[in-house]
Amino acid sequence: MRDPSPPVYREIAEALRSAIASGELSDGDRVPGENDLMKRYGVARATARQALSVLINEGIVVAVRGSGVYVRTFRPLRRHGPRRLSRELWGGGRAIWQADTADRAFAADNITVRETAAPEHVARALDLPEQERVVVRRRRYLLDDRPMQLATSYLPAKLAAGTAIAEADTGPGGIYARLAELGHAPAHFTEEIRVRMPSPAEVEELALSAGTPVLDVMRTALTSDHRAVELNEMTLDGSAYILQYDFDA
Amino acid sequence: MRDPSPPVYREIAEALRSAIASGELSDGDRVPGENDLMKRYGVARATARQALSVLINEGIVVAVRGSGVYVRTFRPLRRHGPRRLSRELWGGGRAIWQADTADRAFAADNITVRETAAPEHVARALDLPEQERVVVRRRRYLLDDRPMQLATSYLPAKLAAGTAIAEADTGPGGIYARLAELGHAPAHFTEEIRVRMPSPAEVEELALSAGTPVLDVMRTALTSDHRAVELNEMTLDGSAYILQYDFDA
């Protein structure tokens, strides 16, 4: 039930929200600032600030330090689950990502590779005995220099240790092409998706604006005889992606 | 880059966050309140409140009015894209939802059905001429009396008007079973997923806690000859769902 007389800052926020919904204010437009709102509505600075912070926390406007507040532009990357993981792509030596990004400048940084005992949920996903060794590849993906995604892959050390999979540069076609060469080609994938607000460390590493949730995508890659060969835990900037899946009835 | 000396409320928030991450505080546990934090850290009430509100906005704790603040319990519903839309399910007269909810008490309410000119994005998705008429079914889904999802289906009026699809109760197997009887059985589905913070109206209708994003799932149902027969725009409580998709390389 709606409060019969909402506080003034909520009324101001609602007026701005309507202006954005109607297109009166559109992508990238400057939103009236604190001074504008104080004059227009005859309110104190704290009230104007509170109205703006409601919209910032809803993620529909973005504050740019020393500049102002702007309507958020949502131009997401389409991430097509089945198509981007088709064998034609990694089989031909292309990075999976290229399926989505066409010819935009794509890069990975902060790459680390280490070997460790499998954490419990990883052992479960990969159907390994407890404490079995795994190779852990962590990296961050950027598109046009903008951080988009954090990814951590876990592979059984028995398969991956000492191979190109454990190198910083896995070579053309990446992990999946190397697995195929080793006789463990991925044939089936399961992706599980959940959504949540980011931790402060993720806000920093993905350079997220306020009011931006993240998508967790957990992918398990299985061979044709249904052995799990990789678990990839991805954390995606929720404002940067549309995920697409096609399937049959 | 991390600030070398973060404000005290952030340090307190980080200490509580670590306690939750380590399991020292676990699902449903009461988090120290303002009074506890004031005593323990020797800070003012405003500082204690600010520390708690950081965690509330991250969605990892939930404030219960007149009671306290608790570690959020994340026991999501698994929504298995391909499996739940298999023909065996709706073909046999079961509600799609049952694939995920087993025998929990599932209900739909706030059902409205109307006919209107197709909004532009609907006309595009259904490959209809502009202004063509569509039947619009809106409803809210609840599980164990908890609102979980808002859904709005659009179907060409030429197919659906005057049929059970335009009734409040569509009968056993729902829309898809009725479409099949009319010779338009869905054979292929596309789901597009994005994530965002909810609008105030959605916070109310889905009874969302602070720091809870929503998932938008746009599903298009196509016949075996690839005619689009339904667009379903769903808005899901992001704390209530894990989405799962399986596909082949």
Side-chain angles (χ1 to χ4, degrees):
Chain A
M1 303 299 100
R2 225 175 262 287
D3 189 312
S5 61
V8 174
Y9 77 90
R10 289 210 172 273
E11 283 182 10
I12 300 174
E14 180 53 36
L16 292 172
R17 196 183 289 117
S18 300
I20 293 168
S22 73
E24 190 190 318
L25 286 172
S26 67
D27 282 10
D29 280 357
R30 197 172 196 285
V31 173
E34 289 176 15
N35 292 329
D36 303 317
L37 294 176
M38 288 163 70
K39 245 181 273 173
R40 191 188 297 183
Y41 293 96
V43 295
R45 182 170 301 277
T47 305
R49 185 174 301 160
Q50 214 173 355
L52 290 172
S53 89
V54 166
L55 301 180
I56 289 170
N57 287 323
E58 285 174 12
I60 62 177
V61 304
V62 175
V64 179
R65 199 175 296 213
S67 168
V69 176
Y70 297 86
V71 179
R72 184 169 199 144
T73 307
F74 184 67
R75 293 222 178 80
L77 192 62
R78 182 169 299 269
R79 180 182 177 281
H80 191 291
R83 197 175 304 154
R84 59 198 292 285
L85 289 177
S86 74
R87 185 182 291 262
E88 285 164 53
L89 282 180
W90 50 264
R94 297 174 63 194
I96 284 167
W97 197 283
Q98 288 173 333
D100 300 310
T101 57
D103 295 317
R104 293 166 74 184
F106 151 72
D109 71 359
N110 301 358
I111 301 172
T112 62
V113 186
R114 60 196 176 87
E115 215 187 289
T116 183
E120 196 204 327
H121 73 286
V122 174
R124 206 170 343 112
L126 295 178
D127 200 17
L128 294 176
E130 239 176 280
Q131 297 300 311
E132 183 93 348
R133 307 292 291 175
V134 286
V135 168
V136 186
R137 285 189 65 88
R138 196 174 190 286
R139 63 276 191 200
R140 179 173 73 162
Y141 290 111
L142 304 96
L143 185 64
D144 296 335
D145 292 327
R146 176 184 164 192
M148 305 282 281
Q149 182 187 138
L150 310 174
T152 306
S153 288
Y154 300 88
L155 301 101
K158 276 187 183 158
L159 297 188
T163 74
I165 294 168
E167 303 292 323
D169 181 357
T170 52
I175 294 178
Y176 293 160
R178 297 298 81 72
L179 281 171
E181 289 161 6
L182 296 165
H184 308 290
H188 311 288
F189 299 96
T190 291
E191 293 194 345
E192 292 172 74
I193 299 161
R194 55 168 283 196
V195 61
R196 59 180 171 80
M197 296 311 285
S199 71
E202 290 163 337
V203 166
E204 205 176 302
E205 208 174 354
L206 289 171
L208 302 172
S209 307
T212 308
V214 289
L215 287 154
D216 284 327
V217 180
M218 299 267 274
R219 178 168 66 224
T220 313
L222 304 132
T223 58
S224 58
D225 54 344
H226 291 271
R227 281 178 299 109
V229 288
E230 185 215 28
L231 173 68
N232 189 353
E233 295 188 347
M234 295 164 267
T235 300
L236 282 57
D237 172 347
S239 70
Y241 282 93
I242 286 183
L243 311 186
Q244 181 178 339
Y245 296 91
D246 303 332
F247 50 96
D248 294 332
Chain B
M1 303 303 101
R2 226 175 260 286
D3 191 311
S5 61
V8 174
Y9 77 90
R10 288 209 175 277
E11 284 181 10
I12 300 174
E14 179 54 34
L16 292 172
R17 197 184 288 116
S18 300
I20 293 168
S22 72
E24 189 191 320
L25 286 171
S26 68
D27 281 13
D29 279 356
R30 197 169 197 285
V31 174
E34 289 176 16
N35 291 330
D36 303 316
L37 294 177
M38 288 164 69
K39 244 181 275 173
R40 190 187 301 183
Y41 292 96
V43 295
R45 183 170 300 278
T47 305
R49 185 173 300 161
Q50 215 172 352
L52 290 172
S53 88
V54 166
L55 302 180
I56 289 170
N57 287 322
E58 285 174 11
I60 61 177
V61 304
V62 175
V64 178
R65 199 173 297 212
S67 167
V69 176
Y70 297 86
V71 179
R72 185 166 195 147
T73 306
F74 184 67
R75 294 224 177 79
L77 191 62
R78 182 169 300 269
R79 179 182 177 281
H80 191 290
R83 196 174 305 153
R84 60 199 291 284
L85 289 176
S86 75
R87 184 181 291 262
E88 284 164 54
L89 282 179
W90 49 264
R94 297 175 64 194
I96 284 169
W97 197 283
Q98 288 173 332
D100 300 311
T101 56
D103 293 319
R104 293 164 73 184
F106 152 70
D109 70 359
N110 300 359
I111 300 172
T112 62
V113 186
R114 60 197 175 85
E115 213 185 290
T116 182
E120 197 204 327
H121 74 285
V122 175
R124 206 171 343 112
L126 295 178
D127 200 16
L128 294 176
E130 240 175 279
Q131 298 299 310
E132 182 95 350
R133 306 293 289 174
V134 285
V135 168
V136 185
R137 285 189 65 87
R138 195 175 191 286
R139 65 276 191 200
R140 179 173 72 162
Y141 290 111
L142 304 96
L143 184 64
D144 295 335
D145 291 327
R146 177 184 165 190
M148 305 282 281
Q149 182 186 140
L150 309 174
T152 306
S153 288
Y154 300 88
L155 300 102
K158 274 184 184 159
L159 297 188
T163 74
I165 295 169
E167 304 292 324
D169 181 358
T170 53
I175 293 179
Y176 292 160
R178 298 296 83 70
L179 281 171
E181 289 161 5
L182 296 165
H184 309 289
H188 311 289
F189 299 96
T190 291
E191 293 194 345
E192 292 172 75
I193 300 161
R194 56 169 282 195
V195 60
R196 59 179 171 80
M197 296 312 285
S199 70
E202 290 164 338
V203 167
E204 202 174 304
E205 208 173 354
L206 289 172
L208 301 172
S209 307
T212 308
V214 289
L215 287 154
D216 284 327
V217 179
M218 298 267 273
R219 177 169 66 225
T220 313
L222 304 131
T223 59
S224 57
D225 54 343
H226 290 270
R227 283 178 297 109
V229 289
E230 184 214 29
L231 173 68
N232 189 353
E233 295 188 347
M234 294 164 267
T235 300
L236 282 57
D237 173 346
S239 70
Y241 282 94
I242 286 183
L243 310 185
Q244 179 177 339
Y245 296 92
D246 303 332
F247 50 95
D248 294 331

